[in-house]
Amino acid sequence: MALPPLDSPSWQNPLRAFAWGIRSVASTVLTLVLFATYLGIGALAHDTHFSLGWVLGSTLLVWAGPAQIILISTLGSGATAVQAAIAVTVSAIRLFPMVVSVLPMMKTPDTKRRQLVLAAHFIAVTLWVECYRLLPQVPRERRIAFTHGLGCGLLTVCLTATTLGYGLAANLPKLFGAAILILTPLAFLLSTARNCRQVSDVLALVLGIALFPVVSMLHSGVDILISGIIAGSIAYGVHWWRERGLA
Amino acid sequence: MSEFFGDPHALLILVIAGFLPNEVWRMAGLWLGGGVDEGSEILVWVRAVATAILAGVIAQILVQPPGALASIPDWLRYGAVAAGFLVFMLTRRSIFAGVVAGEVVMVAGKWWLG
């Protein structure tokens, strides 16, 4: 499926831009990855005795697979709400630089902050990666409507998968759980690798993977943040140094 | 309705331990990122840090596997992801081919181990 050209009349109407966003759900294999991941989340919630409404609420409100897995498994293992909140807060730090880096692509000089609230809520790995791929093909003044469509489409797929996984939980083979859990690192790695545009992105990915096992020996509770900032800054330093060398 | 959602206490925990910890970072990003220009140099750094944190999440799941993934031996987890990456590169960056290859290696390896 290809999006219409930037000057096509089908972009003049924000509703049609929203519809193109929904249709773009079918253009990415990450939709399948999300579907499988949320089947797993639904099944996990069933096995840890959460209600269907609760897990659907978590998909709608949390909207981040790894955070939901951490939330359900920590609460399910008897941790307190505060312990779970701390674990989830640390895992969610990555959303901050993602939102900061992708929102400028959707802005026009007239855009108000509140118009970006829903788009910011939809940002998670999949939407972050897909925005970099798809937004350049969307006229700037229609990008918010398009992102809303893409987000609503993916959310619908994930709510459906959560419900199915919840219902099927008892019938899923044992190996299924492990197969679902390996999906997240595989899909994150490959979609981030495809998303790399500059040397700094490639370096950040490689250094970030290499540095985490070392930093995790600190057991600081924010190991991911420490290794991420160090690896990202080194990658940026190399980028800066190369640009300066060329100038 | 109460059957569907369970007890209200659980919903309160969902908001406190699930919704707010995520939404705080998104809204902070909206607040601070709202003023950043698309072509600015600081975004190159922010992108690099976002990518590196994501890389950390990938490494964490592989090194400290959660739940059922812990039942898969270390070498098989690393091997499955390496195979997925190799196929991804060989197929001119097809995420689909890479993900399928990684899954096949892990499931077949586990099945073979018994």
Side-chain angles (χ1 to χ4, degrees):
Chain A
M1 189 205 78
L3 291 169
L6 284 174
D7 52 3
S8 154
S10 71
W11 287 118
Q12 279 168 18
N13 183 338
L15 263 180
R16 290 190 65 182
F18 181 85
W20 277 111
I22 294 179
R23 288 171 67 172
S24 296
V25 167
S27 79
T28 166
V29 64
L30 292 179
T31 302
L32 275 177
V33 171
L34 276 180
F35 186 85
T37 304
Y38 277 86
L39 270 183
I41 288 174
L44 181 66
H46 178 273
D47 292 344
T48 32
H49 309 293
F50 286 94
S51 69
L52 177 59
W54 189 93
V55 65
L56 287 175
S58 89
T59 298
L60 181 71
L61 295 173
V62 178
W63 190 237
Q68 286 173 256
I69 293 173
I70 294 170
L71 179 67
I72 295 170
S73 48
T74 48
L75 288 177
S77 68
T80 65
V82 176
Q83 286 169 322
I86 292 170
V88 174
T89 305
V90 173
S91 87
I93 291 171
R94 69 177 189 287
L95 298 171
F96 174 72
M98 281 180 188
V99 171
V100 171
S101 56
V102 85
L103 284 191
M105 295 180 84
M106 298 175 204
K107 279 191 316 182
T108 69
D110 309 318
T111 307
K112 308 260 188 304
R113 262 207 186 93
R114 60 184 155 77
Q115 294 172 288
L116 292 166
V117 170
L118 186 59
H121 173 74
F122 280 140
I123 301 295
V125 174
T126 303
L127 214 82
W128 186 62
V129 169
E130 290 304 318
C131 278
Y132 276 110
R133 184 173 72 94
L134 294 169
L135 287 189
Q137 306 168 47
V138 179
R140 182 167 283 273
E141 63 278 14
R142 292 290 170 258
R143 288 182 181 174
I144 296 177
F146 179 86
T147 306
H148 285 168
L150 185 58
C152 287
L154 290 175
L155 183 61
T156 308
V157 168
C158 292
L159 289 172
T160 309
T162 307
T163 310
L164 277 175
Y166 193 89
L168 290 172
N171 302 312
L172 295 174
K174 209 176 166 202
L175 194 50
F176 178 79
I180 292 282
L181 286 168
I182 196 88
L183 205 52
T184 302
L186 261 176
F188 279 20
L189 175 69
L190 303 187
S191 54
T192 315
R194 194 191 62 184
N195 211 26
C196 285
R197 304 168 146 194
Q198 296 168 319
V199 180
S200 55
D201 298 325
V202 180
L203 267 177
L205 183 58
V206 174
L207 288 174
I209 291 177
L211 207 55
F212 174 78
V214 181
V215 175
S216 70
M217 287 189 255
L218 294 174
H219 297 291
S220 65
V222 286
D223 298 340
I224 286 202
L225 183 64
I226 296 172
S227 79
I229 291 178
I230 296 174
S233 300
I234 295 173
Y236 175 75
V238 171
H239 159 86
W240 182 83
W241 180 75
R242 281 172 50 113
E243 294 276 293
R244 199 166 153 259
L246 291 173
Chain B
M1 200 62 180
S2 64
E3 183 98 340
F4 180 67
F5 280 113
D7 73 295
H9 184 66
L11 285 181
L12 185 68
I13 289 177
L14 171 60
V15 170
I16 292 171
F19 175 64
L20 291 178
N22 284 281
E23 216 62 6
V24 159
W25 294 114
R26 289 185 173 117
M27 292 307 127
L30 171 62
W31 188 251
L32 281 167
V36 180
D37 203 51
E38 195 181 340
S40 71
E41 191 70 358
I42 190 152
L43 276 193
V44 180
W45 178 74
V46 172
R47 257 174 71 96
V49 171
T51 303
I53 293 180
L54 202 58
V57 174
I58 295 166
Q60 186 181 35
I61 296 174
L62 293 176
V63 178
Q64 306 161 359
L69 197 55
S71 68
I72 306 292
D74 290 353
W75 63 268
L76 185 51
R77 286 197 305 273
Y78 303 146
V81 172
F85 190 75
L86 189 70
V87 169
F88 167 77
M89 293 308 286
L90 290 176
T91 53
R92 290 188 299 170
R93 300 191 168 203
S94 160
I95 295 178
F96 181 73
V99 166
V100 169
E103 286 286 347
V104 166
V105 167
M106 199 202 74
V107 171
K110 180 66 180 166
W111 183 78
W112 182 69
L113 288 172

